[in-house]
Amino acid sequence: MLHLAIKALISGMLIATASTLARRYPGFGALIASLPFVSVLGMIWLWNDKPDPANMAAHAEATFWYVMPSLPMFLLIPVLLRHGYDFWISLTLGCCLTITLYGVMTWIGPRFGLHL
């Protein structure tokens, strides 16, 4: 249980740091948030729990393929906000787009030999 609490604390501190920096320096906060800290931490936690190179390779590759359909969300949200949409509506629509694109990636990926 302590191991889980430590993982949650470290992960939460990264998110808190990015959001705190973004209040004063939006670009720098975005840079911190865009770095693959969550993915790297996830790989570290996974490796500590199950040090299996084949499993880690599959995880890292799947992460790459799932990052791509999440990127359009970061273009849709600012467009909607700049056109006067409420933040929560913009965020919801961005998340819905991402979920839809995840579904498309999950459906199309295996047709191209991707094992997600």
Side-chain angles (χ1 to χ4, degrees), residues 72-113:
M73 173 181 73
F74 297 104
L75 296 175
L76 178 63
I77 291 172
V79 166
L80 294 174
L81 290 171
R82 288 185 182 120
H83 282 87
Y85 285 82
D86 177 71
F87 167 76
W88 294 108
I89 297 292
S90 301
L91 182 63
T92 300
L93 291 173
C95 290
C96 288
L97 173 63
T98 299
I99 291 166
T100 301
L101 293 175
Y102 282 159
V104 170
M105 178 64 81
T106 302
W107 179 67
I108 289 177
R111 289 167 171 69
F112 292 98

Side-chain angles (χ1 to χ4, degrees), residues 29-51:
L31 173 64
I32 299 298
S34 71
L35 296 173
F37 286 130
V38 172
S39 297
V40 170
L41 281 175
M43 288 189 283
I44 291 169
W45 305 146
L46 177 60
W47 186 260
N48 284 333
D49 292 342
K50 184 180 179 183

Side-chain angles (χ1 to χ4, degrees), residues 10-41 74:
I10 292 171
S11 302
M13 286 174 53
L14 286 171
I15 294 168
T17 299
S19 65
T20 300
L21 285 171
R23 282 188 291 189
R24 183 158 172 99
Y25 308 104
F28 190 60
L31 173 64
I32 299 298
S34 71
L35 296 173
F37 286 130
V38 172
S39 297
V40 170
L41 281 175
F74 297 104

